[in-house]
Short mmCIF file of all heavy atoms in Angstrom, two decimals:
data_model
loop_
_atom_site.label_atom_id
_atom_site.label_comp_id
_atom_site.label_asym_id
_atom_site.label_seq_id
_atom_site.Cartn_x
_atom_site.Cartn_y
_atom_site.Cartn_z
N LEU E 11 -73.20 -5.83 28.29
CA LEU E 11 -71.82 -6.61 28.40
C LEU E 11 -71.49 -6.79 29.88
O LEU E 11 -70.91 -7.81 30.22
CB LEU E 11 -70.70 -5.78 27.70
CG LEU E 11 -70.79 -5.87 26.13
CD1 LEU E 11 -69.63 -4.88 25.56
CD2 LEU E 11 -70.61 -7.17 25.70
N VAL E 19 -69.70 -12.58 24.48
CA VAL E 19 -68.96 -11.48 23.46
C VAL E 19 -67.82 -11.03 24.15
O VAL E 19 -67.77 -10.59 25.26
CB VAL E 19 -70.01 -10.34 23.19
CG1 VAL E 19 -69.31 -9.32 22.25
CG2 VAL E 19 -71.28 -10.80 22.53
N ALA E 20 -66.61 -10.97 23.47
CA ALA E 20 -65.30 -10.62 24.10
C ALA E 20 -65.04 -9.16 24.01
O ALA E 20 -63.93 -8.74 23.76
CB ALA E 20 -64.30 -11.48 23.28
N GLY E 21 -66.00 -8.38 24.41
CA GLY E 21 -65.82 -6.90 24.41
C GLY E 21 -66.09 -6.30 23.20
O GLY E 21 -66.40 -6.81 22.12
N VAL E 22 -65.67 -4.97 23.00
CA VAL E 22 -66.02 -4.07 21.89
C VAL E 22 -64.78 -3.91 21.06
O VAL E 22 -64.87 -3.87 19.82
CB VAL E 22 -66.58 -2.74 22.47
CG1 VAL E 22 -66.65 -1.67 21.28
CG2 VAL E 22 -68.03 -2.91 23.06
N THR E 23 -63.57 -3.88 21.65
CA THR E 23 -62.33 -3.52 20.94
C THR E 23 -61.55 -4.69 20.60
O THR E 23 -61.79 -5.80 21.15
CB THR E 23 -61.55 -2.54 21.85
OG1 THR E 23 -60.96 -3.31 22.95
CG2 THR E 23 -62.29 -1.33 22.37
N ILE E 24 -60.71 -4.55 19.50
CA ILE E 24 -59.72 -5.61 19.22
C ILE E 24 -58.86 -5.98 20.35
O ILE E 24 -58.60 -7.13 20.52
CB ILE E 24 -58.98 -5.06 17.98
CG1 ILE E 24 -59.88 -4.93 16.62
CG2 ILE E 24 -57.77 -6.12 17.62
CD1 ILE E 24 -59.17 -4.38 15.51
N ARG E 25 -58.48 -4.93 21.03
CA ARG E 25 -57.54 -5.24 22.25
C ARG E 25 -58.22 -6.14 23.22
O ARG E 25 -57.51 -7.03 23.77
CB ARG E 25 -57.17 -3.83 22.96
CG ARG E 25 -56.18 -4.06 24.29
CD ARG E 25 -55.88 -2.82 24.82
NE ARG E 25 -55.13 -1.93 24.01
CZ ARG E 25 -54.68 -0.76 24.33
NH1 ARG E 25 -55.12 -0.39 25.53
NH2 ARG E 25 -54.00 -0.10 23.60
N GLU E 26 -59.51 -5.96 23.66
CA GLU E 26 -60.20 -6.88 24.49
C GLU E 26 -60.32 -8.31 23.86
O GLU E 26 -60.19 -9.24 24.50
CB GLU E 26 -61.77 -6.26 24.69
CG GLU E 26 -61.70 -5.11 25.62
CD GLU E 26 -63.04 -4.34 25.64
OE1 GLU E 26 -63.67 -4.27 24.64
OE2 GLU E 26 -63.45 -4.03 26.69
N ALA E 27 -60.53 -8.32 22.59
CA ALA E 27 -60.71 -9.72 21.90
C ALA E 27 -59.30 -10.37 21.97
O ALA E 27 -59.35 -11.61 22.26
CB ALA E 27 -61.15 -9.49 20.42
N ILE E 28 -58.31 -9.75 21.69
CA ILE E 28 -56.89 -10.42 21.72
C ILE E 28 -56.67 -10.92 23.21
O ILE E 28 -56.04 -11.99 23.28
CB ILE E 28 -55.84 -9.40 21.25
CG1 ILE E 28 -56.06 -9.08 19.79
CG2 ILE E 28 -54.49 -9.96 21.53
CD1 ILE E 28 -55.69 -10.32 18.91
N GLU E 29 -57.06 -10.13 24.20
CA GLU E 29 -56.77 -10.56 25.54
C GLU E 29 -57.58 -11.88 25.81
O GLU E 29 -57.10 -12.82 26.41
CB GLU E 29 -57.15 -9.44 26.53
CG GLU E 29 -56.11 -8.32 26.70
CD GLU E 29 -54.67 -9.02 26.92
OE1 GLU E 29 -54.51 -9.74 27.93
OE2 GLU E 29 -53.77 -8.73 26.20
N THR E 30 -58.78 -11.92 25.38
CA THR E 30 -59.65 -13.16 25.50
C THR E 30 -59.02 -14.27 24.83
O THR E 30 -58.88 -15.39 25.38
CB THR E 30 -61.12 -12.82 24.86
OG1 THR E 30 -61.81 -11.87 25.66
CG2 THR E 30 -61.88 -14.12 24.86
N VAL E 31 -58.44 -14.08 23.62
CA VAL E 31 -57.80 -15.07 22.95
C VAL E 31 -56.61 -15.63 23.70
O VAL E 31 -56.22 -16.79 23.69
CB VAL E 31 -57.42 -14.71 21.46
CG1 VAL E 31 -56.62 -15.76 20.80
CG2 VAL E 31 -58.77 -14.45 20.66
N ARG E 32 -55.82 -14.66 24.24
CA ARG E 32 -54.59 -15.03 24.99
C ARG E 32 -54.95 -15.90 25.99
O ARG E 32 -54.26 -16.94 26.31
CB ARG E 32 -53.92 -13.79 25.48
CG ARG E 32 -52.51 -13.82 25.43
CD ARG E 32 -51.87 -12.42 26.12
NE ARG E 32 -52.00 -11.42 25.38
CZ ARG E 32 -51.21 -10.99 24.26
NH1 ARG E 32 -50.27 -11.91 24.00
NH2 ARG E 32 -51.31 -10.02 23.61
N GLU E 33 -56.01 -15.72 26.81
CA GLU E 33 -56.32 -16.50 27.90
C GLU E 33 -56.93 -17.87 27.35
O GLU E 33 -56.54 -19.07 27.96
CB GLU E 33 -57.63 -15.94 28.67
CG GLU E 33 -58.18 -16.81 29.72
CD GLU E 33 -57.06 -17.26 30.80
OE1 GLU E 33 -56.20 -16.58 31.03
OE2 GLU E 33 -57.23 -18.32 31.33
N LEU E 43 -61.43 -15.08 15.57
CA LEU E 43 -62.09 -13.86 15.80
C LEU E 43 -63.00 -13.45 14.84
O LEU E 43 -62.80 -13.63 13.60
CB LEU E 43 -61.01 -12.81 15.96
CG LEU E 43 -60.25 -12.82 17.37
CD1 LEU E 43 -59.06 -11.86 17.33
CD2 LEU E 43 -61.20 -12.46 18.58
N PHE E 237 -67.63 -19.01 22.12
CA PHE E 237 -67.13 -18.45 23.44
C PHE E 237 -68.22 -18.41 24.44
O PHE E 237 -69.27 -17.97 24.07
CB PHE E 237 -66.60 -17.04 22.99
CG PHE E 237 -66.05 -16.33 24.22
CD1 PHE E 237 -65.03 -16.85 25.02
CD2 PHE E 237 -66.74 -15.22 24.66
CE1 PHE E 237 -64.59 -16.14 26.12
CE2 PHE E 237 -66.21 -14.50 25.81
CZ PHE E 237 -65.28 -14.97 26.48
N VAL E 258 -64.73 -16.54 18.73
CA VAL E 258 -64.75 -15.27 19.76
C VAL E 258 -65.26 -14.08 18.93
O VAL E 258 -64.46 -13.47 18.27
CB VAL E 258 -63.30 -15.06 20.26
CG1 VAL E 258 -63.29 -13.83 21.14
CG2 VAL E 258 -62.81 -16.25 20.94
N PRO E 259 -66.48 -13.65 19.27
CA PRO E 259 -67.05 -12.49 18.61
C PRO E 259 -66.63 -11.15 19.46
O PRO E 259 -66.61 -11.23 20.66
CB PRO E 259 -68.52 -12.70 18.62
CG PRO E 259 -68.84 -13.53 19.75
CD PRO E 259 -67.46 -14.36 20.04
N PHE E 260 -66.50 -10.03 18.75
CA PHE E 260 -66.41 -8.78 19.52
C PHE E 260 -66.77 -7.72 18.55
O PHE E 260 -67.11 -7.76 17.43
CB PHE E 260 -64.86 -8.55 19.70
CG PHE E 260 -63.98 -8.36 18.52
CD1 PHE E 260 -63.63 -6.92 18.41
CD2 PHE E 260 -63.61 -9.24 17.64
CE1 PHE E 260 -62.86 -6.43 17.19
CE2 PHE E 260 -62.83 -8.79 16.56
CZ PHE E 260 -62.52 -7.60 16.33
N GLY E 261 -67.00 -6.55 19.20
CA GLY E 261 -67.41 -5.33 18.40
C GLY E 261 -68.64 -4.62 19.04
O GLY E 261 -69.31 -5.29 19.82
N ALA E 262 -68.94 -3.37 18.64
CA ALA E 262 -69.94 -2.55 19.17
C ALA E 262 -71.46 -3.23 18.69
O ALA E 262 -72.35 -2.98 19.38
CB ALA E 262 -69.91 -1.18 18.75
#
Side-chain angles (χ1 to χ4, degrees):
L11 286 176
V19 180
V22 173
T23 66
I24 293 175
R25 181 182 294 180
E26 289 171 314
I28 292 292
E29 281 309 306
T30 296
V31 173
R32 216 184 289 281
E33 177 55 34
L43 279 170
F237 177 61
V258 179
F260 75 99

